[in-house]
Amino acid sequence: MSQIIKAGLVGVTGYTGMELARLMVHHSSMELVRATSRSEAGKKLADIYPFLNRLPLGDLVITQPDAADLAEECDVVFLAVPHKTAMEIAAELIEAGVKVVDLSADFRINDKAVYEAWYKVEHTRADLLKEAVYGLPELYLDRIMGARLIANPGCYPTSAILGLAPALKAGLVETSDIVIDAKSGASGAGRGAKVGNLFCEVADSFRAYGLPTHRHTPEIEQELSKLGGTDITVSFSTHLLPIDRGILSTIYTKLRAETSLDAVHAAYTEFYADKPLVRVLPKGQLPETRFVRGTVFCDIGLVVDPRTGRLIILSAIDNLCRGASGQALMNANLICGLDIDEGLPMAPMMP
Amino acid sequence: MSQIIKAGLVGVTGYTGMELARLMVHHSSMELVRATSRSEAGKKLADIYPFLNRLPLGDLVITQPDAADLAEECDVVFLAVPHKTAMEIAAELIEAGVKVVDLSADFRINDKAVYEAWYKVEHTRADLLKEAVYGLPELYLDRIMGARLIANPGCYPTSAILGLAPALKAGLVETSDIVIDAKSGASGAGRGAKVGNLFCEVADSFRAYGLPTHRHTPEIEQELSKLGGTDITVSFSTHLLPIDRGILSTIYTKLRAETSLDAVHAAYTEFYADKPLVRVLPKGQLPETRFVRGTVFCDIGLVVDPRTGRLIILSAIDNLCRGASGQALMNANLICGLDIDEGLPMAPMMP
Amino acid sequence: MSQIIKAGLVGVTGYTGMELARLMVHHSSMELVRATSRSEAGKKLADIYPFLNRLPLGDLVITQPDAADLAEECDVVFLAVPHKTAMEIAAELIEAGVKVVDLSADFRINDKAVYEAWYKVEHTRADLLKEAVYGLPELYLDRIMGARLIANPGCYPTSAILGLAPALKAGLVETSDIVIDAKSGASGAGRGAKVGNLFCEVADSFRAYGLPTHRHTPEIEQELSKLGGTDITVSFSTHLLPIDRGILSTIYTKLRAETSLDAVHAAYTEFYADKPLVRVLPKGQLPETRFVRGTVFCDIGLVVDPRTGRLIILSAIDNLCRGASGQALMNANLICGLDIDEGLPMAPMMP
Amino acid sequence: MSQIIKAGLVGVTGYTGMELARLMVHHSSMELVRATSRSEAGKKLADIYPFLNRLPLGDLVITQPDAADLAEECDVVFLAVPHKTAMEIAAELIEAGVKVVDLSADFRINDKAVYEAWYKVEHTRADLLKEAVYGLPELYLDRIMGARLIANPGCYPTSAILGLAPALKAGLVETSDIVIDAKSGASGAGRGAKVGNLFCEVADSFRAYGLPTHRHTPEIEQELSKLGGTDITVSFSTHLLPIDRGILSTIYTKLRAETSLDAVHAAYTEFYADKPLVRVLPKGQLPETRFVRGTVFCDIGLVVDPRTGRLIILSAIDNLCRGASGQALMNANLICGLDIDEGLPMAPMMP
């Protein structure tokens, strides 16, 4: 390792910022040199995150976001701010020569009109949509490695797309009848102070939300359509789990022809053969969110039901790690020429 | 109510027995006079359930199960024992003139061969299958009121069938493309000492299990087929939630024709108009398991998705109350001539 | 009961208001006829609390708080508003002839100066302090029955005082060396939208807070001093449990003389002999918060440690029920001439 | 790094074995080459721990425990088996020239009679008690570095002793009046299949257990007595938290003389100045179990209460990591000449 890569983080106070800080503690080739927040500037990281006490990162002083300063000090910048806020900062930073990994939705949707229809805001930097690379390394490894601007995928889309990719690519399933029933831990709802996210409103309960118009829908459909080679519309439902982290998507598809579990499993194993961060589980095993907790693994379990002719795909990720900051770090590693998994913990915390 | 009805409970040590004990504390027309357990006979109820300390029920001495004694002392007996164990006791009790509410699966499946195929045991009292009434009061009120033997529905089937009944009865949806994605709290797994049910294996995680051959499948298909007037096969998946109680089923159906949410909602409201224990939520509201916690309510939310032509039905119950002991008590009330909701709490504990 | 008592609730949107609504659903001698909220006036209760759908109480229209209207319509009014807000409304209502149960801290502290020192606000209705009765029925039953104004005890004080009362009254323990280590569920923190109360900040963690100056300290010391007949100062520490409801206080005392567990247990049993809502557990049993969940029971376990000469008292209540709204209803029952436990559930939800 | 140290693990199926496996995944100077289990021999680690799928450690084949084989293949062996089982294996391994870190209680108590009184079994290898080093590096660093046999401390004792050491060493507090009120996550109860540890018996509840004779008492008193220079007896109480991991001990002491928080804080800061794995929090901050989750940090918060003359010490650790396997690895690192924190994660998972 010749030189340490310098990284910046815009928006340190949410759960994705917090998670990126956690991961950077153990990265030996990349150092966090800037962390910004409008509300907390001037404090040290350990002041707002006591878990960083006595760690080197804990002494980093939070600054106001400033594109010029970030461009001056950083090789790569992570944007962990809400959609719409990210688009202008991203553009400024790229123009100043910094590589950007944007964790917001602003550059994920290729089509400006689709973005504006689902997100209800104007996209003022649509000129960059073509250049932005969708940061799912299992699908776009080569493009990511040469990119200036990464659109880091959403948490639900990561789980759904990785779960369906092999089946669609191999033409195993009908493209017209896909149901994605997804369940997420509460960190996916963000760190905003809302009554609905209080402990007493989430614990010991379970509910669906946002049906049938969750904003991750167009992102999922865009990528599935590319994989399937045709326009794909899906039923996508989201639920709130009383856990901190984790997404499990149960995906229902119709097999095009009678297909054995062996054959499906072989197709999945082959598709992910050289992609070690997706684990196709042995036949008969189903994923559990705890088995990927704190890691960038996507665990996939496969079920063939001959009674109904369905292939049911179970796909589990950690929504904060693989679904946000961990994948952002995978992408940053790649665009900076490092190994994809540098600095990333491989062993989940059990229990 | 002139005279107190005397009830017996066979199998008091599991969660369904415990839940029935809880409910009987507040029943003013029915009294638990017998509670049996092979392992705990001789103890008082409060010895094994400290929450019954200082309550009248706490002093009830647990006895060995004995059909003659139960027949002598009880008007109605609840069977909270595993399938296969229940069938012979049920037969003995009925022959001795006692009314029986069987919480096991033994009399739910009309077809002996189907029962034996899914439960992998011989049914030795198939002679009673015809007489047994499936105890879902919203569908079989009249038959229940005159029954000697109630086959109390399973927890998942209660949620699925109540959720789909109006749509199938009204012919709103395709019968060939139904997906039931169900999630249950951990009490549904019973009180057996298994590593997989330990706190540290369930908390802070989420997983699917039993796919695609959960034993509640034939029970669901039997009742849906009657409602739809044709043989119905469903994709039915079960998941384990890190909560004590509650089932939420997310049910995906294809609308036969373009139908508005207004029209679907009207059909549901009409179907359940005189059935106050099912609550069709106002349009736009979705159920949460906590809103039915500890009660016999089934809450139903409806979503129409014009993009995919699907009607998505959300159905929530408390798996121990509406899904087991509470519904058993509804049935016992009915066969004993009481109001359906006597002794049943109507207000869930919040939070 | 010839005539239904009419009750009002000022402040319906917090957890204590919500809990009182839950309890009123099952009260057959008292009816909630007014529920007020500045922010939600005009809505029906079921609009903000979907768990009240299809229940009579769900149709009650929330009104703006108005003392004249409340006085006109109600026999008794519950105040579930923050301290300082309660004092003036309480005074107005009493002057208008309504009985008041105040769930805030405003009338709990007998000494105006002590109140002002701990609560950092001026007490503008100190004229009522003398009349207000501290609503702990096990200590003040007779005075409560004749009261116009009840100062409903705090949650922690209820647990601590009931736990210590027999030992102090019987002179079993030193008054100079009492440690109360208390742990509470998250509903005790209220329903305000604060980051610190989010699911992801509370779940899967445990912490102390407010040491050593929790505002319940003077309330505890005031009542213990009366019981002990001398000024008592305690070490009182509070912790946040990742559960919805429940307080467990572990109370450490020094025995004045060598005393057997038998003797201590006898003193406790005698003290609470005719007070059925406190359950002194059999020797060797320790309380669990779930055994009192949703009820007004206070469960007490006793441990004598000859090695250290200490009596350790474990005292468990449900902070929302016995610690707030349930006890308020006990008090309202008493001042209205009803049985103390009318409308109150006796069987906790298990699990 | 010249040569990789070879490690063995006896008893891989419990939570401490599982945790050690997790930590070894990221250790670059030590490799797990043996993992034994009587019940699971022949399987690969990933067969029983799916979270190790696709990781090198996942392919390790579990063997039957065999001292000769372990001695042949390993430089250091961890014993994660129950007390009594460990003592003979430990002796055999040491005699065969292997270094041993024993996670059981067998060599923690210096006095054979005390061990036998509290653990109710005979100690058959008391000859090794003198040689065994109590593996708390903050107290015994030098002795640990030269040891053959480490008695790895218990979880509660680690938290209590680290919390009290500076105060006792500096003579700040009375030695005759110490109360340790400790709360632990459920993994501390082990992975045995017991009804009391089921999710539905632990979640949403809180209870004390084992009062007043928890087996960690003599271990705590032994070490505190050494620190205080006099025989110390403590009140030590344990409680079960509905969380996976974490211990918080709230420790009540009497200050010998009036002492400011500044002075106490200075004493603690000085004591732990060169011991970076104990974090004395800034004045006013209190520890939370989540801030040490998955790490070997012990976080200490200090409260001085002038009203009662007490110093209250809050001490938080992760019971599985600092309280068991993480500390075992610290000790193994030290006896093998590595840095104390090699392979140990420093950043807790948040949330």
Side-chain angles (χ1 to χ4, degrees):
Chain A
M1 200 56 42
S2 46
Q3 205 171 333
I4 296 292
I5 292 157
K6 291 176 179 171
L9 166 58
V10 176
V12 72
T13 58
Y15 288 130
T16 50
M18 198 191 278
E19 173 75 346
L20 196 66
R22 171 181 85 95
L23 297 172
M24 296 302 281
V25 168
H26 287 285
H27 205 302
S28 50
S29 312
M30 196 181 288
E31 187 188 349
L32 195 66
V33 298
R34 281 290 181 278
T36 79
S37 161
R38 295 199 184 279
S39 59
E40 305 289 345
K43 296 183 186 165
K44 291 182 180 181
L45 269 188
D47 293 337
I48 63 167
Y49 297 141
F51 67 92
L52 293 177
N53 258 314
R54 287 241 196 162
L55 297 176
L57 214 51
D59 291 328
L60 183 66
V61 177
I62 301 169
T63 56
Q64 289 286 346
D66 173 343
D69 172 63
L70 288 162
E72 176 78 19
E73 298 295 331
C74 304
D75 301 306
V76 59
V77 170
F78 299 91
L79 302 181
V81 291
H83 70 92
K84 182 64 184 170
T85 307
M87 57 179 78
E88 291 297 344
I89 310 175
E92 285 181 71
L93 288 168
I94 287 171
E95 281 151 22
V98 187
K99 288 168 178 170
V100 170
V101 179
D102 175 21
L103 283 84
S104 90
D106 280 353
F107 297 99
R108 294 179 195 158
I109 307 294
N110 305 149
D111 184 331
K112 178 178 189 288
V114 173
Y115 174 88
E116 294 182 342
W118 285 82
Y119 285 86
K120 319 279 185 206
V121 291
E122 193 195 348
H123 202 307
T124 54
R125 296 309 305 248
D127 54 306
L128 289 171
L129 286 176
K130 198 159 190 142
E131 174 175 357
V133 178
Y134 191 70
L136 198 55
E138 280 77 8
L139 298 187
Y140 298 110
L141 185 66
D142 290 343
R143 289 195 55 204
I144 290 168
M145 294 177 74
R148 292 195 306 172
L149 172 57
I150 300 290
N152 207 59
C155 51
Y156 286 121
T158 296
S159 151
I161 298 162
L162 290 176
L164 279 160
L168 288 171
K169 202 73 187 175
L172 295 175
V173 299
E174 302 289 349
T175 54
S176 60
D177 190 4
I178 296 175
V179 169
I180 302 166
D181 190 278
K183 304 90 175 172
S184 173
S187 59
R191 212 173 171 224
K194 294 177 192 163
V195 169
N197 294 338
L198 293 179
F199 180 86
C200 289
E201 309 287 321
V202 174
D204 221 26
S205 192
F206 183 66
R207 62 178 189 258
Y209 70 94
L211 270 58
T213 53
H214 192 286
R215 283 170 171 172
H216 283 171
T217 309
E219 183 181 340
I220 293 170
E221 292 180 346
Q222 166 183 291
E223 296 302 316
L224 296 188
S225 296
K226 289 180 196 167
L227 286 160
T230 182
D231 277 1
I232 293 182
T233 304
V234 299
S235 279
F236 169 58
S237 299
T238 50
H239 303 74
L240 180 63
L241 286 168
I243 64 175
D244 286 334
R245 297 169 172 243
I247 285 178
L248 184 78
S249 295
T250 310
I251 306 172
Y252 299 87
T253 64
K254 277 275 186 189
L255 286 163
R256 278 197 170 142
E258 202 173 305
T259 315
S260 69
L261 177 57
D262 282 347
V264 173
H265 194 267
Y268 270 71
T269 305
E270 190 191 337
F271 188 93
Y272 287 120
D274 55 347
K275 301 177 179 78
L277 300 179
V278 176
R279 303 190 290 195
V280 180
L281 300 184
K283 280 169 278 180
Q285 278 190 24
L286 298 182
E288 313 192 12
T289 60
R290 59 182 176 147
F291 292 152
V292 297
R293 184 162 42 193
T295 77
V296 290
F297 285 119
C298 175
D299 279 6
I300 294 177
L302 299 166
V303 174
V304 168
D305 183 4
R307 294 177 65 252
T308 59
R310 280 203 175 86
L311 164 64
I312 304 170
I313 305 149
L314 289 299
S315 167
I317 61 164
D318 179 317
N319 60 299
L320 276 187
C321 197
R322 186 24 116 86
S325 309
Q327 190 151 260
L329 190 46
M330 288 162 60
N331 283 311
N333 282 338
L334 290 172
I335 59 180
C336 295
L338 303 175
D339 286 346
I340 190 171
D341 59 356
E342 269 215 55
L344 288 163
M346 291 292 117
M349 208 173 64
M350 290 289 303
Chain B
M1 200 57 40
S2 47
Q3 204 170 335
I4 297 291
I5 292 158
K6 291 176 179 170
L9 166 59
V10 176
V12 73
T13 59
Y15 288 130
T16 51
M18 198 190 278
E19 173 75 346
L20 196 67
R22 171 181 84 97
L23 297 173
M24 295 301 282
V25 169
H26 286 285
H27 205 302
S28 49
S29 310
M30 195 181 291
E31 186 188 348
L32 195 66
V33 298
R34 280 289 182 278
T36 81
S37 160
R38 293 198 184 279
S39 59
E40 305 290 344
K43 296 183 184 165
K44 291 183 179 181
L45 269 187
D47 294 336
I48 63 166
Y49 296 141
F51 67 92
L52 293 177
N53 259 315
R54 286 242 197 162
L55 296 176
L57 215 52
D59 292 328
L60 183 66
V61 177
I62 301 169
T63 56
Q64 289 286 347
D66 174 342
D69 171 64
L70 288 161
E72 176 79 20
E73 298 296 331
C74 304
D75 301 307
V76 59
V77 170
F78 299 91
L79 301 181
V81 292
H83 70 91
K84 183 64 185 171
T85 307
M87 58 178 77
E88 291 297 342
I89 311 174
E92 285 182 69
L93 289 168
I94 288 170
E95 281 151 21
V98 187
K99 287 169 179 171
V100 170
V101 179
D102 175 20
L103 282 85
S104 89
D106 281 353
F107 298 99
R108 294 179 194 157
I109 307 294
N110 305 149
D111 184 331
K112 178 178 190 286
V114 173
Y115 174 89
E116 294 182 342
W118 285 82
Y119 285 87
K120 317 283 186 203
V121 291
E122 194 195 347
H123 202 308
T124 55
R125 296 309 306 248
D127 55 305
L128 289 171
L129 286 176
K130 197 156 191 149
E131 174 175 357
V133 178
Y134 192 69
L136 198 55
E138 280 77 8
L139 299 187
Y140 299 110
L141 185 66
D142 290 344
R143 289 194 56 203
I144 291 168
M145 295 176 75
R148 292 196 305 171
L149 171 57
I150 299 289
N152 207 58
C155 51
Y156 286 120
T158 296
S159 150
I161 298 163
L162 291 175
L164 279 159
L168 288 172
K169 202 74 188 175
L172 294 175
V173 298
E174 301 290 348
T175 54
S176 60
D177 190 5
I178 295 175
V179 169
I180 302 165
D181 189 279
K183 303 90 176 173
S184 172
S187 59
R191 213 174 170 223
K194 294 177 193 162
V195 169
N197 294 338
L198 293 180
F199 179 85
C200 289
E201 309 286 321
V202 174
D204 222 24
S205 192
F206 183 66
R207 61 177 189 259
Y209 69 95
L211 269 58
T213 54
H214 193 287
R215 283 169 170 172
H216 283 171
T217 309
E219 183 181 340
I220 294 170
E221 292 182 347
Q222 165 183 294
E223 296 303 316
L224 296 189
S225 297
K226 290 179 195 168
L227 286 160
T230 183
D231 277 359
I232 292 183
T233 304
V234 299
S235 279
F236 169 59
S237 300
T238 51
H239 304 74
L240 180 64
L241 286 168
I243 63 174
D244 285 336
R245 298 169 171 244
I247 285 177
L248 184 78
S249 295
T250 309
I251 306 171
Y252 299 87
T253 64
K254 278 274 186 188
L255 286 163
R256 279 199 170 140
E258 203 173 305
T259 316
S260 69
L261 177 57
D262 282 349
V264 173
H265 195 267
Y268 270 71
T269 306
E270 190 192 338
F271 188 93
Y272 288 121
D274 56 347
K275 302 175 179 79
L277 300 180
V278 176
R279 303 190 291 195
V280 181
L281 300 184
K283 279 169 279 179
Q285 278 189 24
L286 299 182
E288 313 192 11
T289 60
R290 58 182 177 147
F291 292 152
V292 297
R293 185 162 41 192
T295 77
V296 291
F297 284 119
C298 175
D299 278 7
I300 294 176
L302 300 165
V303 174
V304 168
D305 183 3
R307 293 176 66 253
T308 60
R310 281 203 175 85
L311 164 64
I312 304 170
I313 306 148
L314 287 300
S315 167
I317 61 166
D318 179 318
N319 61 298
L320 276 188
C321 198
R322 186 25 115 84
S325 308
Q327 189 150 263
L329 190 47
M330 288 161 61
N331 283 312
N333 283 339
L334 290 171
I335 59 179
C336 296
L338 304 175
D339 286 346
I340 189 171
D341 59 355
E342 269 214 57
L344 288 163
M346 291 292 117
M349 208 174 65
M350 290 288 303
Chain C
M1 200 55 41
S2 47
Q3 204 170 334
I4 297 291
I5 291 157
K6 291 177 180 170
L9 166 58
V10 176
V12 73
T13 59
Y15 288 129
T16 50
M18 198 190 277
E19 173 75 346
L20 197 67
R22 171 182 85 96
L23 297 172
M24 296 301 281
V25 168
H26 286 285
H27 206 301
S28 50
S29 310
M30 196 182 289
E31 186 187 350
L32 195 66
V33 298
R34 280 289 182 278
T36 80
S37 160
R38 294 199 184 280
S39 59
E40 305 290 345
K43 295 183 186 166
K44 292 183 179 180
L45 269 187
D47 293 337
I48 63 167
Y49 296 142
F51 66 92
L52 293 176
N53 258 314
R54 286 242 196 163
L55 297 176
L57 214 51
D59 292 328
L60 183 66
V61 176
I62 300 169
T63 56
Q64 289 287 347
D66 173 343
D69 171 65
L70 289 161
E72 176 78 20
E73 298 296 330
C74 305
D75 302 307
V76 60
V77 169
F78 300 92
L79 301 182
V81 292
H83 70 91
K84 182 66 186 169
T85 308
M87 57 179 77
E88 291 297 343
I89 311 174
E92 286 181 70
L93 289 168
I94 288 170
E95 281 151 21
V98 187
K99 288 168 178 169
V100 170
V101 179
D102 175 21
L103 282 84
S104 89
D106 280 353
F107 298 99
R108 294 179 194 157
I109 308 294
N110 305 149
D111 185 330
K112 179 178 189 286
V114 172
Y115 174 89
E116 294 182 342
W118 285 82
Y119 286 87
K120 318 282 183 203
V121 291
E122 194 195 348
H123 202 308
T124 54
R125 295 308 306 249
D127 55 305
L128 289 171
L129 286 176
K130 198 159 189 143
E131 175 175 358
V133 178
Y134 191 69
L136 198 55
E138 280 76 9
L139 299 186
Y140 298 110
L141 185 65
D142 290 343
R143 289 195 56 204
I144 291 167
M145 294 177 74
R148 291 195 306 171
L149 172 57
I150 300 288
N152 207 59
C155 50
Y156 286 120
T158 297
S159 151
I161 298 162
L162 291 176
L164 279 160
L168 289 172
K169 202 74 188 175
L172 296 174
V173 298
E174 302 289 348
T175 54
S176 59
D177 190 5
I178 296 175
V179 169
I180 302 166
D181 190 278
K183 303 90 177 172
S184 173
S187 59
R191 211 173 172 224
K194 295 176 193 163
V195 168
N197 295 338
L198 293 180
F199 179 85
C200 289
E201 310 287 320
V202 174
D204 222 26
S205 193
F206 183 66
R207 62 178 188 257
Y209 69 94
L211 270 58
T213 53
H214 193 286
R215 283 170 170 172
H216 283 171
T217 309
E219 183 180 341
I220 293 170
E221 292 180 346
Q222 166 183 293
E223 296 302 316
L224 296 189
S225 298
K226 290 179 196 167
L227 286 160
T230 182
D231 277 358
I232 293 182
T233 304
V234 299
S235 279
F236 169 58
S237 300
T238 51
H239 304 74
L240 180 63
L241 287 168
I243 64 174
D244 286 335
R245 296 168 173 245
I247 285 178
L248 184 79
S249 295
T250 310
I251 306 172
Y252 299 86
T253 64
K254 277 276 187 187
L255 286 163
R256 279 196 170 141
E258 203 174 305
T259 316
S260 69
L261 177 57
D262 282 348
V264 173
H265 195 267
Y268 270 72
T269 305
E270 190 191 337
F271 188 93
Y272 288 121
D274 57 346
K275 301 177 178 76
L277 300 180
V278 176
R279 303 190 290 194
V280 181
L281 300 184
K283 280 170 280 182
Q285 278 190 25
L286 299 182
E288 313 191 13
T289 60
R290 59 182 177 147
F291 292 152
V292 297
R293 185 162 44 194
T295 77
V296 290
F297 284 120
C298 175
D299 278 7
I300 293 177
L302 299 166
V303 174
V304 168
D305 183 4
R307 293 176 66 252
T308 59
R310 280 204 176 84
L311 164 65
I312 304 169
I313 306 149
L314 288 299
S315 167
I317 61 166
D318 179 318
N319 61 298
L320 277 187
C321 197
R322 188 21 118 82
S325 309
Q327 189 151 261
L329 190 46
M330 288 161 60
N331 283 312
N333 282 339
L334 290 171
I335 59 179
C336 295
L338 304 175
D339 286 346
I340 189 172
D341 60 355
E342 269 214 59
L344 288 163
M346 291 293 117
M349 208 174 64
M350 290 287 302
Chain D
M1 200 54 43
S2 47
Q3 204 172 332
I4 297 291
I5 292 157
K6 292 176 180 170
L9 165 59
V10 177
V12 72
T13 58
Y15 288 130
T16 51
M18 198 189 279
E19 173 73 347
L20 196 67
R22 171 180 85 94
L23 297 173
M24 295 302 281
V25 169
H26 287 284
H27 206 302
S28 50
S29 311
M30 196 181 288
E31 186 188 350
L32 195 66
V33 298
R34 281 289 182 279
T36 79
S37 160
R38 295 200 183 280
S39 59
E40 305 290 344
K43 295 182 185 165
K44 292 183 179 180
L45 269 187
D47 293 337
I48 63 166
Y49 295 141
F51 66 93
L52 293 177
N53 259 314
R54 288 242 195 161
L55 297 176
L57 215 52
D59 291 328
L60 183 66
V61 176
I62 300 169
T63 56
Q64 289 287 346
D66 174 343
D69 172 64
L70 289 161
E72 176 78 21
E73 298 295 331
C74 305
D75 301 307
V76 59
V77 170
F78 299 92
L79 301 181
V81 292
H83 70 89
K84 182 64 185 171
T85 307
M87 56 179 79
E88 291 297 342
I89 310 175
E92 285 181 70
L93 289 169
I94 287 170
E95 282 151 21
V98 187
K99 288 168 178 171
V100 170
V101 179
D102 175 21
L103 283 84
S104 90
D106 280 354
F107 299 98
R108 294 179 195 157
I109 307 294
N110 306 150
D111 184 332
K112 178 177 189 287
V114 173
Y115 175 89
E116 294 182 341
W118 286 82
Y119 285 87
K120 319 283 184 201
V121 292
E122 194 195 346
H123 202 307
T124 55
R125 296 308 308 246
D127 54 306
L128 290 171
L129 286 176
K130 198 157 190 143
E131 175 175 356
V133 178
Y134 191 69
L136 199 55
E138 280 76 10
L139 298 188
Y140 299 109
L141 185 66
D142 290 343
R143 290 194 56 204
I144 291 168
M145 294 177 74
R148 292 194 306 171
L149 172 57
I150 299 289
N152 207 58
C155 50
Y156 286 121
T158 296
S159 150
I161 298 163
L162 291 176
L164 279 160
L168 288 172
K169 202 74 188 173
L172 295 175
V173 298
E174 302 289 348
T175 54
S176 60
D177 191 3
I178 296 175
V179 169
I180 302 166
D181 189 279
K183 304 88 176 172
S184 172
S187 59
R191 213 175 170 222
K194 295 176 192 163
V195 168
N197 294 339
L198 293 179
F199 180 86
C200 289
E201 309 286 321
V202 174
D204 221 25
S205 191
F206 183 67
R207 61 178 188 257
Y209 70 95
L211 271 58
T213 55
H214 193 286
R215 283 169 170 172
H216 283 171
T217 309
E219 183 181 341
I220 293 170
E221 292 181 347
Q222 166 183 292
E223 296 302 316
L224 296 189
S225 297
K226 290 179 197 170
L227 286 160
T230 182
D231 277 358
I232 293 182
T233 304
V234 299
S235 278
F236 169 58
S237 299
T238 50
H239 303 74
L240 180 64
L241 286 168
I243 63 175
D244 285 336
R245 297 169 172 244
I247 285 177
L248 184 78
S249 294
T250 310
I251 306 173
Y252 299 86
T253 64
K254 278 274 187 189
L255 285 163
R256 279 197 171 142
E258 203 173 306
T259 315
S260 69
L261 177 57
D262 281 347
V264 174
H265 195 267
Y268 270 71
T269 305
E270 190 191 337
F271 188 93
Y272 288 120
D274 56 347
K275 302 177 178 77
L277 301 180
V278 175
R279 304 191 289 195
V280 180
L281 300 184
K283 280 169 279 179
Q285 278 189 24
L286 298 182
E288 314 193 10
T289 61
R290 59 182 176 147
F291 292 153
V292 298
R293 186 162 42 193
T295 78
V296 290
F297 284 120
C298 175
D299 279 6
I300 294 177
L302 300 165
V303 174
V304 167
D305 183 4
R307 293 176 67 253
T308 60
R310 281 205 175 84
L311 163 64
I312 305 170
I313 306 148
L314 288 299
S315 167
I317 61 165
D318 179 318
N319 61 298
L320 276 187
C321 198
R322 184 29 112 89
S325 308
Q327 188 150 261
L329 191 47
M330 290 162 60
N331 283 311
N333 282 338
L334 290 172
I335 59 179
C336 296
L338 304 175
D339 286 346
I340 189 172
D341 60 354
E342 270 213 57
L344 288 163
M346 292 293 117
M349 208 174 64
M350 290 287 304

